[in-house]
Amino acid sequence: MTARQSKPVIDSVQLAESNTQAMIELRSVVKKFSNAAGEFTVLKGVDLTIKSGEFVSIVGKSGSGKSTLLNMVTGIDHPTEGNVVVHGTDIYTGVTESQRSRWRGKNLGIVFQFFQLLPMLTLLENVMLPMDYVDMYDFDERPARAMDLLKLVGLEKFANKLPVLVSTGQQQLAAIARAMACDPPLLVADEPTGNLDSRSADTIIELFQGFVSQGKTIVMVTHDPSLTSRTHRNIIISDGELIDETVSKSLPQLRHRHMLEFTKIVHEKIYQPHATIISRNESVDYFFMIRKGEVDVVLQDKKKKDYVLSRLQAGEFFGEIELLRGGKSIANVRAGEHPVEVLSVPRQEFLRVINESPITADAIGRIVQKRLEEKKIADQRTAGR
Ligand code: ADP
Ligand code: MG
């Protein structure tokens, strides 16, 4: 055992590689199912890139296509159209089912909501199973490696128990140990905490965060908003289509169908450093969300000297004050030190959706109030200058 311990049970992934490589790329993925009623499109042309080392959560209403999307990545099911590249392999082009199955065993850990441990095998035997299947690690090494994995998830005392004799939280921990058996660079989890109490859920997220800090990539479907805030990125799927992440970050209270509407109508625009986006005293025709970079809201003091009232970041918005209250712009809004990418929604569309969405209207109203107060204080402060 001691000789082996120099090699960690979970290998760190090279970071230099993780900065540049995409771990998952879906291009125009369509998935249709046929039943008695006819054909039914579940994924409607999904484009998605997940970089190596990212911890990504996926949310969406029941039936929106989350599991179907994961099944495209794992190769459990296959797309009707489009391409899926995972860890450098185009997994559906010129690959047989059995090749894909072996590839999956070596490259992917999969965790399901209902654990799916084999009931007649002990936890230790369950964890050894993937190593046997793809014939990784020396035969003699496997039990010790499986034990190390169980130790990692805090189950070494239960190694020789059958799944039915441990709690549901512990069964899921064993399933995670099994998923990591062949030290895959990518872990895919479909509602891994959906059947667990919040304490067990917490343990699992901490474990996942540990894997991510070692360079693993994790994609996790979840219903739990307290978990999505602990991942790097949150992706929302609505009726088989992905919502633009800038839209969902800027307006998190919007209903998914409204987010999707905005996703389809937004225009992307890039401004060079210090370029004007909105001019003072001109009318404002768009609602803006910041995708990348920083934006300065600039006022003038009594001597007509510019000063920056506030600096807005990616995931924040502007233009709402004028659109909601009418009238000309109260400030200059310009790009910061670096190029800025913004998404714009035309006034009419913005107002219509806000009218249909009282929670978002409230949230935006509070931000308007706060910004106007900041402006008032700044006006008072500079009045004497
Ligand atoms: P989610 O995981 O978001 O709840 P799913 O991806 O499981 O949603 O399912 C999306 C839709 O696709 C659902 O309407 C579901 O009934 C349908 N669907 C999923 N798998 C199949 C299948 N094998 N055959 C037919 N329809 C399916
Ligand atoms: Mg599902």
Tab-separated table of all heavy atoms in Angstrom, residues 194-229:
chain	number	residue	atom	x	y	z
A	194	GLY	N	-30.542	14.824	-6.111
A	194	GLY	CA	-31.997	14.929	-6.201
A	194	GLY	C	-32.744	14.058	-5.206
A	194	GLY	O	-33.871	14.352	-4.833
A	195	ASN	N	-32.085	12.998	-4.743
A	195	ASN	CA	-32.755	12.047	-3.870
A	195	ASN	C	-32.163	12.080	-2.450
A	195	ASN	O	-32.366	11.162	-1.675
A	195	ASN	CB	-32.602	10.642	-4.472
A	195	ASN	CG	-33.619	9.668	-3.933
A	195	ASN	OD1	-34.759	10.050	-3.682
A	195	ASN	ND2	-33.198	8.435	-3.721
A	196	LEU	N	-31.417	13.157	-2.141
A	196	LEU	CA	-30.680	13.182	-0.874
A	196	LEU	C	-31.095	14.365	0.001
A	196	LEU	O	-31.586	15.375	-0.496
A	196	LEU	CB	-29.177	13.288	-1.159
A	196	LEU	CG	-28.559	12.215	-2.056
A	196	LEU	CD1	-27.079	12.488	-2.246
A	196	LEU	CD2	-28.775	10.822	-1.482
A	197	ASP	N	-30.838	14.238	1.306
A	197	ASP	CA	-31.055	15.361	2.218
A	197	ASP	C	-29.978	16.420	1.979
A	197	ASP	O	-28.968	16.154	1.337
A	197	ASP	CB	-31.016	14.862	3.667
A	197	ASP	CG	-29.672	14.248	4.000
A	197	ASP	OD1	-28.778	14.975	4.450
A	197	ASP	OD2	-29.505	13.030	3.753
A	198	SER	N	-30.196	17.619	2.543
A	198	SER	CA	-29.312	18.730	2.177
A	198	SER	C	-27.888	18.524	2.715
A	198	SER	O	-26.928	19.006	2.117
A	198	SER	CB	-29.893	20.058	2.650
A	198	SER	OG	-29.967	20.065	4.044
A	199	ARG	N	-27.752	17.797	3.819
A	199	ARG	CA	-26.394	17.578	4.329
A	199	ARG	C	-25.588	16.656	3.420
A	199	ARG	O	-24.424	16.914	3.119
A	199	ARG	CB	-26.440	17.002	5.748
A	199	ARG	CG	-25.747	17.933	6.733
A	199	ARG	CD	-25.678	17.344	8.122
A	199	ARG	NE	-24.566	16.420	8.275
A	199	ARG	CZ	-24.460	15.589	9.325
A	199	ARG	NH1	-25.385	15.585	10.247
A	199	ARG	NH2	-23.425	14.775	9.417
A	200	SER	N	-26.235	15.600	2.953
A	200	SER	CA	-25.547	14.692	2.021
A	200	SER	C	-25.239	15.430	0.722
A	200	SER	O	-24.172	15.244	0.128
A	200	SER	CB	-26.420	13.479	1.706
A	200	SER	OG	-26.773	12.819	2.892
A	201	ALA	N	-26.184	16.270	0.294
A	201	ALA	CA	-25.982	17.045	-0.938
A	201	ALA	C	-24.748	17.926	-0.793
A	201	ALA	O	-23.920	18.024	-1.701
A	201	ALA	CB	-27.210	17.892	-1.241
A	202	ASP	N	-24.621	18.528	0.379
A	202	ASP	CA	-23.491	19.398	0.642
A	202	ASP	C	-22.171	18.646	0.561
A	202	ASP	O	-21.199	19.118	-0.034
A	202	ASP	CB	-23.676	19.962	2.053
A	202	ASP	CG	-23.164	21.366	2.140
A	202	ASP	OD1	-23.625	22.184	1.332
A	202	ASP	OD2	-22.276	21.601	2.985
A	203	THR	N	-22.129	17.458	1.153
A	203	THR	CA	-20.924	16.625	1.113
A	203	THR	C	-20.531	16.355	-0.335
A	203	THR	O	-19.354	16.408	-0.694
A	203	THR	CB	-21.195	15.273	1.818
A	203	THR	OG1	-21.700	15.555	3.122
A	203	THR	CG2	-19.947	14.435	1.915
A	204	ILE	N	-21.534	16.065	-1.147
A	204	ILE	CA	-21.255	15.709	-2.538
A	204	ILE	C	-20.725	16.911	-3.316
A	204	ILE	O	-19.764	16.796	-4.078
A	204	ILE	CB	-22.509	15.085	-3.176
A	204	ILE	CG1	-22.582	13.636	-2.679
A	204	ILE	CG2	-22.477	15.148	-4.698
A	204	ILE	CD1	-23.883	12.964	-2.896
A	205	ILE	N	-21.315	18.081	-3.078
A	205	ILE	CA	-20.822	19.265	-3.787
A	205	ILE	C	-19.391	19.591	-3.363
A	205	ILE	O	-18.556	19.946	-4.191
A	205	ILE	CB	-21.755	20.475	-3.559
A	205	ILE	CG1	-23.111	20.205	-4.199
A	205	ILE	CG2	-21.163	21.747	-4.143
A	205	ILE	CD1	-23.051	19.808	-5.664
A	206	GLU	N	-19.098	19.426	-2.078
A	206	GLU	CA	-17.719	19.685	-1.624
A	206	GLU	C	-16.734	18.715	-2.287
A	206	GLU	O	-15.644	19.105	-2.683
A	206	GLU	CB	-17.625	19.561	-0.100
A	206	GLU	CG	-18.058	20.846	0.579
A	206	GLU	CD	-18.243	20.685	2.074
A	206	GLU	OE1	-17.681	19.733	2.661
A	206	GLU	OE2	-18.976	21.510	2.650
A	207	LEU	N	-17.158	17.490	-2.409
A	207	LEU	CA	-16.331	16.490	-3.080
A	207	LEU	C	-16.095	16.911	-4.541
A	207	LEU	O	-14.967	16.892	-5.041
A	207	LEU	CB	-17.067	15.152	-3.023
A	207	LEU	CG	-16.321	13.860	-3.215
A	207	LEU	CD1	-15.156	13.755	-2.243
A	207	LEU	CD2	-17.281	12.684	-2.987
A	208	PHE	N	-17.160	17.314	-5.206
A	208	PHE	CA	-17.052	17.763	-6.601
A	208	PHE	C	-16.113	18.965	-6.705
A	208	PHE	O	-15.285	19.040	-7.605
A	208	PHE	CB	-18.434	18.143	-7.159
A	208	PHE	CG	-19.292	16.953	-7.539
A	208	PHE	CD1	-18.876	15.654	-7.300
A	208	PHE	CD2	-20.531	17.144	-8.154
A	208	PHE	CE1	-19.662	14.558	-7.649
A	208	PHE	CE2	-21.332	16.054	-8.515
A	208	PHE	CZ	-20.904	14.764	-8.261
A	209	GLN	N	-16.258	19.901	-5.760
A	209	GLN	CA	-15.381	21.070	-5.805
A	209	GLN	C	-13.919	20.666	-5.646
A	209	GLN	O	-13.036	21.250	-6.278
A	209	GLN	CB	-15.795	22.075	-4.722
A	209	GLN	CG	-17.086	22.800	-5.098
A	209	GLN	CD	-17.593	23.722	-4.002
A	209	GLN	OE1	-17.490	23.406	-2.815
A	209	GLN	NE2	-18.151	24.857	-4.397
A	210	GLY	N	-13.692	19.652	-4.834
A	210	GLY	CA	-12.328	19.128	-4.676
A	210	GLY	C	-11.799	18.560	-5.984
A	210	GLY	O	-10.674	18.842	-6.384
A	211	PHE	N	-12.631	17.797	-6.689
A	211	PHE	CA	-12.221	17.242	-7.989
A	211	PHE	C	-11.890	18.375	-8.967
A	211	PHE	O	-10.902	18.320	-9.689
A	211	PHE	CB	-13.331	16.379	-8.604
A	211	PHE	CG	-13.662	15.122	-7.829
A	211	PHE	CD1	-14.918	14.534	-7.961
A	211	PHE	CD2	-12.732	14.527	-6.991
A	211	PHE	CE1	-15.235	13.370	-7.254
A	211	PHE	CE2	-13.036	13.367	-6.281
A	211	PHE	CZ	-14.297	12.791	-6.419
A	212	VAL	N	-12.746	19.390	-8.960
A	212	VAL	CA	-12.551	20.509	-9.890
A	212	VAL	C	-11.245	21.238	-9.578
A	212	VAL	O	-10.510	21.635	-10.484
A	212	VAL	CB	-13.761	21.474	-9.849
A	212	VAL	CG1	-13.475	22.758	-10.606
A	212	VAL	CG2	-15.000	20.782	-10.424
A	213	SER	N	-10.933	21.381	-8.285
A	213	SER	CA	-9.696	22.086	-7.939
A	213	SER	C	-8.482	21.275	-8.393
A	213	SER	O	-7.395	21.810	-8.533
A	213	SER	CB	-9.644	22.372	-6.441
A	213	SER	OG	-9.435	21.164	-5.748
A	214	GLN	N	-8.685	19.985	-8.668
A	214	GLN	CA	-7.584	19.177	-9.210
A	214	GLN	C	-7.593	19.147	-10.735
A	214	GLN	O	-6.828	18.411	-11.351
A	214	GLN	CB	-7.647	17.763	-8.651
A	214	GLN	CG	-6.985	17.704	-7.287
A	214	GLN	CD	-7.430	16.494	-6.504
A	214	GLN	OE1	-8.623	16.244	-6.337
A	214	GLN	NE2	-6.472	15.743	-6.034
A	215	GLY	N	-8.491	19.939	-11.325
A	215	GLY	CA	-8.479	20.078	-12.776
A	215	GLY	C	-9.514	19.243	-13.505
A	215	GLY	O	-9.581	19.266	-14.731
A	216	LYS	N	-10.339	18.502	-12.762
A	216	LYS	CA	-11.390	17.724	-13.434
A	216	LYS	C	-12.473	18.665	-13.958
A	216	LYS	O	-12.670	19.755	-13.427
A	216	LYS	CB	-12.045	16.738	-12.458
A	216	LYS	CG	-11.085	15.783	-11.780
A	216	LYS	CD	-10.518	14.784	-12.753
A	216	LYS	CE	-9.635	13.774	-12.034
A	216	LYS	NZ	-8.809	13.024	-12.978
A	217	THR	N	-13.195	18.199	-14.967
A	217	THR	CA	-14.333	18.937	-15.501
A	217	THR	C	-15.596	18.246	-15.006
A	217	THR	O	-15.664	17.008	-15.041
A	217	THR	CB	-14.300	18.906	-17.044
A	217	THR	OG1	-12.998	19.324	-17.468
A	217	THR	CG2	-15.364	19.810	-17.647
A	218	ILE	N	-16.571	19.038	-14.538
A	218	ILE	CA	-17.814	18.428	-14.059
A	218	ILE	C	-19.020	19.124	-14.671
A	218	ILE	O	-19.100	20.356	-14.694
A	218	ILE	CB	-17.912	18.467	-12.513
A	218	ILE	CG1	-16.741	17.704	-11.887
A	218	ILE	CG2	-19.257	17.885	-12.038
A	218	ILE	CD1	-16.786	17.579	-10.375
A	219	VAL	N	-19.929	18.322	-15.188
A	219	VAL	CA	-21.205	18.831	-15.689
A	219	VAL	C	-22.303	18.162	-14.872
A	219	VAL	O	-22.379	16.934	-14.821
A	219	VAL	CB	-21.400	18.504	-17.179
A	219	VAL	CG1	-22.694	19.118	-17.686
A	219	VAL	CG2	-20.220	19.018	-17.992
A	220	MET	N	-23.127	18.985	-14.232
A	220	MET	CA	-24.108	18.450	-13.289
A	220	MET	C	-25.489	19.067	-13.534
A	220	MET	O	-25.648	20.275	-13.496
A	220	MET	CB	-23.632	18.800	-11.868
A	220	MET	CG	-24.636	18.528	-10.784
A	220	MET	SD	-24.012	19.003	-9.145
A	220	MET	CE	-24.124	20.791	-9.244
A	221	VAL	N	-26.461	18.201	-13.770
A	221	VAL	CA	-27.841	18.665	-13.831
A	221	VAL	C	-28.370	18.728	-12.402
A	221	VAL	O	-28.121	17.821	-11.608
A	221	VAL	CB	-28.704	17.698	-14.669
A	221	VAL	CG1	-30.190	17.942	-14.432
A	221	VAL	CG2	-28.377	17.838	-16.150
A	222	THR	N	-29.051	19.805	-12.068
A	222	THR	CA	-29.598	19.914	-10.715
A	222	THR	C	-30.867	20.753	-10.695
A	222	THR	O	-31.110	21.569	-11.581
A	222	THR	CB	-28.574	20.528	-9.738
A	222	THR	OG1	-29.178	20.619	-8.448
A	222	THR	CG2	-28.123	21.907	-10.162
A	223	HIS	N	-31.675	20.538	-9.663
A	223	HIS	CA	-32.857	21.369	-9.455
A	223	HIS	C	-32.610	22.399	-8.374
A	223	HIS	O	-33.409	23.287	-8.153
A	223	HIS	CB	-34.033	20.481	-9.001
A	223	HIS	CG	-34.853	20.011	-10.133
A	223	HIS	ND1	-35.058	18.679	-10.401
A	223	HIS	CD2	-35.508	20.701	-11.098
A	223	HIS	CE1	-35.803	18.574	-11.488
A	223	HIS	NE2	-36.087	19.774	-11.921
A	224	ASP	N	-31.482	22.239	-7.680
A	224	ASP	CA	-31.273	22.969	-6.442
A	224	ASP	C	-30.516	24.275	-6.673
A	224	ASP	O	-29.336	24.269	-6.986
A	224	ASP	CB	-30.489	22.051	-5.488
A	224	ASP	CG	-30.355	22.658	-4.111
A	224	ASP	OD1	-30.571	23.877	-3.969
A	224	ASP	OD2	-30.017	21.909	-3.181
A	225	PRO	N	-31.177	25.435	-6.504
A	225	PRO	CA	-30.517	26.718	-6.748
A	225	PRO	C	-29.343	26.959	-5.806
A	225	PRO	O	-28.407	27.679	-6.158
A	225	PRO	CB	-31.605	27.763	-6.510
A	225	PRO	CG	-32.861	27.025	-6.227
A	225	PRO	CD	-32.558	25.582	-6.012
A	226	SER	N	-29.342	26.327	-4.617
A	226	SER	CA	-28.221	26.552	-3.703
A	226	SER	C	-26.963	25.858	-4.217
A	226	SER	O	-25.857	26.151	-3.782
A	226	SER	CB	-28.567	26.057	-2.299
A	226	SER	OG	-28.634	24.646	-2.298
A	227	LEU	N	-27.126	24.930	-5.157
A	227	LEU	CA	-25.956	24.253	-5.733
A	227	LEU	C	-25.430	24.998	-6.957
A	227	LEU	O	-24.233	25.055	-7.184
A	227	LEU	CB	-26.301	22.810	-6.111
A	227	LEU	CG	-26.805	21.923	-4.969
A	227	LEU	CD1	-26.981	20.502	-5.466
A	227	LEU	CD2	-25.855	21.946	-3.789
A	228	THR	N	-26.342	25.588	-7.721
A	228	THR	CA	-25.894	26.260	-8.951
A	228	THR	C	-24.975	27.426	-8.616
A	228	THR	O	-24.066	27.741	-9.371
A	228	THR	CB	-27.075	26.794	-9.774
A	228	THR	OG1	-27.831	27.683	-8.955
A	228	THR	CG2	-27.969	25.675	-10.231
A	229	SER	N	-25.189	28.053	-7.459
A	229	SER	CA	-24.353	29.196	-7.098
A	229	SER	C	-22.937	28.738	-6.745
A	229	SER	O	-22.045	29.563	-6.612
A	229	SER	CB	-24.966	29.936	-5.914
A	229	SER	OG	-25.019	29.071	-4.807
